Each structure stands twice: as C-alpha cells, then as structure tokens.
Amino acid sequence: MTVTEKWDRRFLDMAELVASWSKDPSTKVGAVIVRPDKTVCSVGFNGFPRGVPDAEEWLLDRATKYAYTVHAEMNAILTANEPVRGATIYTTFHPCACCAASIVQAGIVRVVVLADATPERWADSFAAAGSVLALAGVSVDLIERRA
C-alpha cells in the first residue's frame, strides 16, 4: 500500500466515524475535508440544521427528512473556519449533484469516496454529480470498503 493509499484509508476511517454521529435511521454519511498538508480542516455528517430537533417522526418520513437534511459534504464545507480551496474531501457516500456543485464552487480539487453499490433512487443524481466533477477537473477516487 502506498503512502497516499494509507492516508486515504485513514481519512475514510475518520469519515466513517463522523458518519456514525448522524441521527438518520437509514443512511449515515460522513465527510472530512483535508488540507494539502494532510491536516483536517473540517468534518460534517448528514443531519438536520442546528436548532432543528431530531424528531423521530421527521427522521422516519422520507419527504420531510430529505427536505430538512443538510448533507455531510455541505455540512463540512459550511462549518469550515477557512477557505477549502485546494483541499480533498473524503466521504462515505457518493456526493449528490447539488453537493458536487458545492464542492466545485468551494474549490475542492479531489473527492475520495467509499465505493458501494449505488442505490437506484440516487443513480441519476450520482451520474450528474460525476459529470459536474469531471467537467470542473475535480478528481474522484473510489476506494473499496474494507472487508
């Protein structure tokens, strides 16, 4: 395993830990933004905005949950205390099209994702996200989940 692969695994492990903080009963997603010098800039997980209660009835209602949820990638970008231009984002779930656009706009240059089967309901959004990232020159590396 190369040095880069070791760092990628470490930060993906961290993203999995951050994902465990999510209250979402079906899909827990974590993201870690890392500076070029391999130090952590920000973390985020999918969940309701600050001040919005994690009410079980809202978490169990898909339409409400989707309407209220801030995605892990967006949470990490929004809570960074500095610009993230030139950084890498590690995430446990492929970014959706909206998050991909935000990643590009924030100046993140690399996305590292745990490779999993794409749920059918997200296939179109993931395809659009891949196009946005590719068109903007953001590299995407898929890393297999550990057995």
Side-chain angles (χ1 to χ4, degrees):
M1 183 179 288
T2 69
V3 172
T4 299
E5 290 169 335
K6 287 180 183 178
W7 279 110
D8 287 347
R9 284 280 175 205
R10 288 176 183 137
F11 290 125
L12 284 172
D13 288 347
M14 181 181 271
E16 286 187 298
L17 173 65
V18 172
S20 73
W21 303 341
S22 172
K23 302 289 191 283
D24 190 320
S26 62
T27 306
K28 297 179 184 304
V29 182
V32 177
I33 299 176
V34 176
R35 299 176 192 94
D37 69 356
K38 302 285 188 259
T39 58
V40 175
C41 171
S42 184
V43 300
F45 56 90
N46 60 314
F48 295 163
R50 284 189 188 110
V52 176
D54 294 315
E56 187 173 357
E57 63 270 18
W58 297 339
L59 287 165
L60 295 175
D61 178 71
R62 185 171 281 174
T64 303
K65 180 177 72 171
Y66 286 174
Y68 288 9
T69 295
V70 178
H71 290 185
E73 302 91 337
M74 185 62 72
N75 237 336
I77 291 168
L78 290 171
T79 59
N81 288 324
E82 62 192 71
V84 295
R85 185 165 305 285
T88 296
I89 189 166
Y90 293 84
T91 183
T92 60
F93 203 69
H94 196 290
C96 69
C98 188
C99 286
S102 296
I103 287 166
V104 169
Q105 199 68 5
I108 292 171
V109 298
R110 183 174 178 237
V111 178
V112 181
V113 181
L114 277 176
D116 279 328
T118 299
E120 185 59 36
R121 69 180 177 268
W122 292 104
D124 290 342
S125 183
F126 288 179
S131 293
V132 166
L133 295 166
L135 288 167
V138 175
S139 68
V140 178
D141 294 310
L142 301 175
I143 308 286
E144 293 299 319
R145 189 176 294 278
R146 290 182 207 240

